[in-house]
Amino acid sequence: NAIRLAGDMSHMASFFVLLFKINKSKSVAGISLKTQELYVLVFCTRYVDIFWNHLSLYNSLMKVIFIALSVMIVYVMRRGVPQRSTYNPELDSFPHHWLVLPCVLLGVAINQDPTSPFEMAWAFSIYLEAVAIMPQLHMVQKHGEAENLTSHYIFLLGLYRVFYLVNWVYRYMTEDGYWQAIVWVSGAVQAVLYLDFFYNYVKSKQKD
Amino acid sequence: ATPNEPKDEL
């Protein structure tokens, strides 16, 4: 449906905005490497099924694109010259292990099929995605204010989440037996994390 | 989705 497509497009746009920012400004200052690495982990654990689930060309292609773009961002942040010298690890100080560990436990404990390692990995990726933005939000708070493109990037990520939430309501109403408790709860948690950011984003845009 | 149903969202 169109709402979900809008969600996917704003998600993809967020990658391009971030790549554009770090290529143009030659700087990754204010960008959380931890969040970006968590996203690589999210996509690699969620899209293992790319090898056996061929739902549509769209789905398979988007999976490859999401993995490739997230790996590319981490690559530029770690290896890019001069980008790698502009990274501030002292500001990127969120204790990310405390995000990954509970998500692993939750993924093993609560999933759609306790006998399937793929379902565990998939559930893990859903839980981790919900909280993966936290190191980035923490960094924005420590910095005081985010650069324009960085805030557009975070805004697009939050927008993607909002589109998906609306898409779930729409699917629940139009598709018989459509039920996705894990995804809905995690998605709602993820959206809540953006509320404070959204508030400040809109406020600063009004000021401009 | 029922268990093991292909995941159709990203």
Side-chain angles (χ1 to χ4, degrees):
Chain A
N1 65 63
I3 313 161
R4 194 203 128 184
L5 184 66
D8 289 342
M9 290 306 115
S10 52
H11 197 178
M12 191 154 74
S14 76
F15 289 109
F16 283 115
V17 165
L18 186 56
L19 273 170
F20 174 79
K21 182 243 176 315
I22 61 185
N23 276 312
K24 185 149 197 229
S25 70
K26 301 275 171 238
S27 165
V28 299
I31 308 292
S32 167
L33 179 61
K34 285 176 178 174
T35 282
Q36 297 308 319
E37 289 181 336
L38 291 179
Y39 280 135
V40 171
L41 190 56
V42 163
F43 296 131
C44 289
T45 50
R46 185 174 310 168
Y47 299 155
V48 204
D49 67 345
I50 198 171
F51 296 108
W52 66 86
N53 277 339
H54 299 286
L55 284 155
S56 64
L57 181 64
Y58 173 82
N59 257 50
S60 301
L61 197 65
M62 290 298 273
K63 286 173 179 175
V64 175
I65 291 174
F66 281 9
I67 294 175
L69 291 176
S70 60
V71 168
M72 209 183 288
I73 289 166
V74 167
Y75 182 83
V76 175
M77 290 189 75
R78 282 187 167 272
R79 297 282 156 80
V81 177
Q83 285 93 341
R84 64 178 184 199
S85 62
T86 61
Y87 172 59
N88 350 88
E90 65 286 349
L91 288 172
D92 195 10
S93 55
F94 192 89
H96 60 298
H97 297 111
W98 292 107
L99 296 178
V100 178
L101 199 66
C103 290
V104 170
L105 297 177
L106 263 181
V108 171
I110 306 172
N111 53 64
Q112 292 180 344
D113 179 2
T115 63
S116 157
F118 164 68
E119 290 293 337
M120 292 180 190
W122 182 83
F124 161 76
S125 84
I126 297 289
Y127 301 136
L128 188 62
E129 186 191 347
V131 292
I133 196 65
M134 287 175 84
Q136 179 64 63
L137 293 174
H138 172 80
M139 214 170 168
V140 169
Q141 280 188 330
K142 275 193 120 177
H143 247 300
E145 203 166 342
E147 261 177 78
N148 235 337
L149 280 170
T150 308
S151 67
H152 293 331
Y153 163 71
I154 303 172
F155 176 75
L156 283 168
L157 270 179
L159 190 63
Y160 138 70
R161 207 20 54 177
V162 172
F163 277 129
Y164 257 69
L165 285 176
V166 180
N167 151 67
W168 294 328
V169 174
Y170 173 76
R171 290 190 70 175
Y172 181 74
M173 293 191 307
T174 56
E175 285 176 38
D176 202 29
Y178 179 75
W179 184 261
Q180 293 238 63
I182 291 176
V183 173
W184 292 343
V185 173
S186 313
V189 169
Q190 188 172 349
V192 165
L193 293 179
Y194 286 92
L195 285 180
D196 181 63
F197 174 83
F198 270 141
Y199 175 78
N200 289 310
Y201 183 83
V202 171
K203 215 171 59 177
S204 79
K205 291 294 159 273
Q206 282 172 340
K207 220 167 52 189
D208 291 345
Chain B
T2 52
N4 293 320
E5 195 176 297
K7 322 292 191 193
D8 64 350
E9 287 177 347
L10 296 165

